[in-house]
């Protein structure tokens, strides 16, 4: 099987990758090939033509879907001090697209995240908020931990007056197996500082985030 997969990698032009990634991709591709042989009875004695390159393609895709493990919040949230002339009102980025994988079934979690903070002298570029969401989404997740992780990172690295994160997502492991009806959303929310403790700030966030 290994040499078969090595050939598939070369066909995809993956032969020049460094040793660590090469070994990791090969291990993932081998695991996918074994999975395919179990899920499709006709493939037990060898993958049919349409599935030949699936293990290497799937391994490459999984590497992307879990690329959040290679990132850390400190690098993403490099701040600039007082870059906004003392702006001290809520900054909110709404409906950031979110694609993750549930850690229980490896099924898709698809939704949006709305992220807000009230600066306390430190701000970040707005695109960094969606990069932070991507970092957490591109790991195996439960929605609650994803939501809390984004809020905790902002709290720790920006030390803002307040943080609010609202995630609204659909879970394919539930919908596709008939456990809940299609189109239902799960909503999770993590609030810190003023957004948790001050009713006006909290109400402003909730109104903007809905
Ligand atoms: Zn699941």
């Amino acid at each position: 099987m290994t040499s078969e997969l090595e050939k598939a990698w070369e066909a995809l032009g993956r032969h020049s990758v460094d040793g660590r990634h090469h070994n990791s991709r090969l291990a993932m591709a081998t695991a996918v090939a074994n999975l395919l042989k179990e899920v499709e009875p006709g493939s037990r004695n060898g993958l049919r033509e349409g599935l030949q390159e699936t293990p290497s393609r799937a391994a490459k895709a999984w590497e992307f879907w879990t690329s959040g493990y290679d990132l850390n919040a400190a690098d993403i949230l490099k701040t600039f001090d007082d870059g906004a002339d003392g702006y001290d009102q809520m900054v909110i980025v709404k409906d950031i697209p979110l694609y993750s994988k549930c850690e229980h079934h490896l099924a898709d979690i698809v939704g949006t995240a709305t992220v807000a903070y009230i600066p306390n002298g430190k701000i970040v570029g707005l695109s960094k908020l969606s990069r932070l969401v991507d970092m957490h989404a591109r790991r195996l997740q439960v929605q609650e931990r994803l939501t809390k992780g984004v809020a905790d990172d902002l709290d720790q690295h920006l030390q803002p007056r307040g943080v609010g994160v609202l995630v609204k997502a659909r879970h394919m492991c539930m919908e596709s197996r008939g456990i809940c009806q299609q189109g239902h959303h799960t909503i999770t929310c993590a609030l810190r500082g003023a957004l948790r403790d001050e009713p006006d700030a909290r109400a402003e966030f909730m109104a903007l985030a809905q």
Side-chain angles (χ1 to χ4, degrees):
M1 176 50 71
T2 300
S3 64
E4 205 177 293
L5 289 168
E6 294 266 13
K7 270 186 221 151
W9 276 123
E10 286 180 20
L12 285 174
R14 310 309 306 175
H15 51 281
S16 62
V17 295
D18 66 78
R20 187 180 67 84
H21 276 97
H22 183 76
N23 290 338
S24 157
R25 283 172 177 171
L26 208 55
M28 284 197 284
T30 304
V32 172
N34 289 333
L35 177 70
L36 290 173
K37 287 179 177 180
E38 290 304 318
V39 298
E40 192 177 84
S43 289
R44 280 208 181 120
N45 297 320
L47 299 178
R48 63 181 163 81
E49 200 184 335
L51 295 178
Q52 289 283 316
E53 292 189 2
T54 300
S56 47
R57 279 201 210 95
K60 196 178 163 193
W62 271 99
E63 195 170 84
F64 178 79
W65 290 329
T66 55
S67 57
Y69 290 113
D70 298 328
L71 303 172
N72 68 74
D75 288 342
I76 292 172
L77 295 177
K78 288 214 175 82
T79 57
F80 24 106
D81 286 337
D82 205 30
D85 293 330
Y87 181 85
D88 61 357
Q89 299 301 300
M90 194 179 300
V91 176
I92 182 162
V93 178
K94 198 177 162 169
D95 295 338
I96 298 166
L98 179 151
Y99 301 94
S100 191
K101 299 283 182 197
C102 84
E103 69 183 25
H104 300 135
H105 306 90
L106 306 182
D108 288 328
I109 301 172
V110 182
T112 57
T114 292
V115 178
Y117 71 102
I118 303 174
N120 190 16
K122 284 181 182 175
I123 60 166
V124 280
L126 296 177
S127 67
K128 302 301 175 63
L129 300 181
S130 43
R131 283 192 61 207
L132 183 67
V133 169
D134 283 344
M135 182 191 86
H136 284 279
R138 289 174 191 161
R139 296 176 180 183
L140 301 180
Q141 282 293 3
V142 295
Q143 187 175 326
E144 295 87 339
R145 190 174 66 235
L146 192 164
T147 308
K148 182 180 180 296
V150 173
D152 287 344
D153 282 344
L154 286 170
D155 205 26
Q156 183 187 338
H157 294 281
L158 302 189
Q159 287 133 14
R161 281 193 53 235
V163 173
V165 179
L166 186 97
V167 174
K168 195 175 168 189
R170 294 171 59 187
H171 292 249
M172 294 310 133
C173 60
M174 290 165 69
E175 291 191 24
S176 66
R177 297 186 307 143
I179 291 166
C180 75
Q181 287 180 326
Q182 288 180 0
H184 279 197
H185 287 91
T186 301
I187 295 176
T188 46
C189 189
L191 303 173
R192 303 283 182 271
L195 286 177
R196 181 190 55 209
D197 302 331
E198 294 174 19
D200 287 352
R202 185 188 180 119
E204 184 187 358
F205 171 69
M206 287 304 184
L208 289 168
Q210 291 300 334

